[in-house]
Amino acid sequence: MARLLFVGGLGRSGTTLVERLLGELPGVCALGEVVHLWQRDIRSDERCGCGERFSGCAFWTRVGEIAFGGWANVDVYRVLALQAAVERTRHIPRLASPRLPDDYRAQVQEYAGYYTAVYRAAAEVTGATVLVDSSKHSALAHCLRWSSSLDLRVAHVVRDPRGVAHSWTKVVQRPESDGESEMTRYSPGRSAMLWNAHNAAFGLLARRGVPLLRVRYEQFVADPRAGLTELADFTGLRLGESDLDFLTESHADLGVGHSAAGNPMRFRVGRIPLRRDDGWMRGLPATDRRLVGAVCAPLLRAYGYPVMVSRGSTR
């Protein structure tokens, strides 16, 4: 079984960027947010990162054939029922326990089994030694921990919660829905609470023995070659001299990918700029900056961020 690198963290933290750059490395297959595959792709037939409808994508068609004998054989309602039963943030304390009740453990392992089948098939189709799932959800990572056939490692992507909060207030169209829907928005207070919960949950996962590498978005964008090299080492990849030629400190050249779901950036192909987004220092009102800083203060200190930031300051 290929090694699985689960890219986790709260949305708008830079996880899609990390996934796209990883997907350019030899021996790596980036799958996007597999957690949404069941609803958005199999049922709603939204667009793959390559631009095709899911049902028309040759890559995902082949994965479905190998994994399940075709996507029509997947009981999506069963998968979604299991998701509702076991993959929720409120279930994390239970999932993180040393033992699970037999009936609950059976549900968790059945749910994780659907993902394992997808990963295994994707590895067979591509020949990859490392698979990247950027689902982000901390509860899903805790579920995957109970799979006996996964070599699981986690890249925990963290971004300053004030930048995350500012991003969650923006209106962003979902291109895969052909402009029919927008991405979810949260208030700064709500996103601060989610930032605390999800990041703390990944810390708990590390304490349960899952190999975890914390990636600070701001440092990663400042030196993407160093960040990507560290991630490659973490997953056991040995890079050649030319394997990072697609990447400089200021831009990356991206090819076509097959992300199942995720940020609209998954559709970008060609040269993209790499720069830290500090627009929140000007765009997020001072009252919201103070609110998020106060709510997230303990983890801000733990991750090396300042608790208080004034408008236009340089960190």
Side-chain angles (χ1 to χ4, degrees), residues 161-190:
R162 289 154 293 214
V164 174
H166 183 235
S167 184
W168 277 116
T169 63
K170 297 178 180 178
V171 176
V172 179
Q173 296 290 332
R174 296 182 62 238
E176 60 268 46
S177 67
D178 295 333
E180 295 180 0
S181 64
E182 300 172 352
M183 296 186 73
T184 303
R185 283 185 285 169
Y186 294 126
S187 68
R190 174 65 172 164

Side-chain angles (χ1 to χ4, degrees), residues 146-157:
W146 288 97
S147 172
S148 59
S149 57
L150 279 182
D151 182 357
L152 174 65
R153 301 193 179 196
V154 173
H156 176 202
V157 182

Side-chain angles (χ1 to χ4, degrees), residues 187-211:
S187 68
R190 174 65 172 164
S191 70
M193 296 293 290
L194 291 171
W195 189 89
N196 277 339
H198 283 281
N199 288 317
F202 281 107
L204 181 58
L205 194 67
R207 291 195 291 273
R208 291 297 176 264
V210 175

Side-chain angles (χ1 to χ4, degrees), residues 99-123:
R99 296 184 184 85
L100 295 178
D102 290 345
D103 57 343
Y104 188 71
R105 179 169 181 165
Q107 286 184 306
V108 172
Q109 291 182 327
E110 181 186 354
Y111 180 60
Y114 285 97
Y115 290 85
T116 302
V118 172
Y119 303 145
R120 193 184 304 278

Side-chain angles (χ1 to χ4, degrees), residues 18-39:
V18 171
E19 180 221 342
R20 290 299 311 274
L21 296 185
L22 282 167
E24 295 298 320
L25 299 179
V28 176
C29 175
L31 299 172
E33 299 179 13
V34 183
V35 69
H36 297 303
L37 181 147
W38 322 105
Q39 174 66 48

